[in-house]
Amino acid sequence: MSYPLALALLLFFARATSGNYCAQQDDCSSCTRANTDDGEDSACAWCFSTGKCKLAYSKSEPKVGDWLTGPGTCPVYTTSRATCKCQPTKYTTCETCTKNHPGCVWVKNATSYVTTIVQLPLFGPRTTTLKHTWENLCWAGNGIAGPNFAQTEVAGNDIKMVFNSTAHKWCWGQCGVEGPAIAWIIVACCVLGPCLLFCFFRVLYSCICGKSTLRRGGSGMN
């Protein structure tokens, strides 16, 4: 979202609240922990670019202004604790992201969408969607579903903003093959491997027993 648009929305439709709880958190894990805690009202976002925790919105009274003055000013942020381990500003290459990090996915190309729905007097709701394409980022995910992009909705007064992202190209566990192919191969090996091993030993056992029977039968004929 452009800064002029963000500023206009902030001035006309929202008033930011205090993010004291979030500001007191000094690492990504503690910053995002409260987001799944029903006893804490503040939802926080960790900004990887600045290394600071910012208020995303109040769970009881969400305001668009909180989002715009918080994660809306950060190029790379997360509200998910799972992404903390992937450290997008530290693991800046596919190799460092995927090596020894099974919970991380290297996103080669993705698009983020910001849909703004404004309720205007006399005219009714008006919807505007902005999109931003980004690439080469280490993010939380797995080899089957890819990166974990959670859809977020923030509403306040007569405006609602919906944030979501879609990955187009990503790698998991290695950097040569895109998508879930590698994960499915591993799953297939885990499922079919024991079956093939069982069949091999069964055939081997049959061959050994067969030879033993032939030997006993030959001795009887003599």
Side-chain angles (χ1 to χ4, degrees):
M1 176 180 291
S2 64
Y3 285 106
L5 177 58
L7 181 59
L9 291 173
L10 175 62
L11 293 176
F12 285 98
F13 297 102
R15 183 180 64 182
T17 58
S18 173
N20 290 334
Y21 172 85
C22 299
Q24 294 172 359
Q25 312 308 313
D26 56 3
D27 63 81
C28 181
S29 181
S30 62
C31 176
T32 55
R33 183 185 295 115
N35 295 349
T36 55
D37 182 4
D38 295 334
E40 175 55 49
D41 182 64
S42 297
C44 307
W46 179 257
C47 180
F48 290 102
S49 306
T50 61
K52 294 183 178 180
C53 185
K54 297 185 176 184
L55 176 68
Y57 55 90
S58 167
K59 297 176 185 177
S60 61
E61 190 180 358
K63 293 185 175 71
V64 178
D66 292 332
W67 189 279
L68 297 177
T69 58
T73 63
C74 180
V76 183
Y77 68 87
T78 185
T79 56
S80 171
R81 194 177 180 187
T83 306
C84 295
K85 298 180 180 179
C86 299
Q87 303 185 56
T89 53
K90 179 180 179 180
Y91 303 133
T92 57
T93 65
C94 179
E95 288 75 14
T96 57
C97 175
T98 57
K99 184 178 181 180
N100 301 324
H101 300 115
C104 300
V105 172
W106 180 251
V107 182
K108 290 186 175 182
N109 184 273
T111 302
S112 294
Y113 302 89
V114 181
T115 301
T116 305
I117 305 173
V118 181
Q119 188 72 30
L120 298 176
L122 303 179
F123 296 98
R126 291 293 183 269
T127 302
T128 302
T129 300
L130 304 176
K131 66 178 181 178
H132 170 67
T133 300
W134 48 275
E135 57 187 15
N136 299 331
L137 200 65
C138 192
W139 207 255
N142 59 69
I144 301 296
N148 296 332
F149 291 139
Q151 177 173 298
T152 303
E153 293 188 9
V154 182
N157 297 330
D158 295 325
I159 183 173
K160 181 171 74 172
M161 301 177 70
V162 181
F163 305 82
N164 55 30
S165 299
T166 302
H168 308 298
K169 296 180 180 180
W170 53 272
C171 294
W172 175 82
Q174 42 73 55
C175 300
V177 180
E178 296 177 355
I182 294 297
W184 282 120
I185 291 174
I186 295 175
V187 171
C189 290
C190 292
V191 174
L192 297 178
C195 296
L196 294 175
L197 192 62
F198 173 77
C199 293
F200 170 77
F201 280 112
R202 185 173 181 179
V203 171
L204 182 62
Y205 177 78
S206 299
C207 292
I208 294 175
C209 291
K211 290 182 179 179
S212 177
T213 300
L214 289 175
R215 288 175 182 175
R216 287 197 300 270
S219 299
M221 289 176 66
N222 291 333

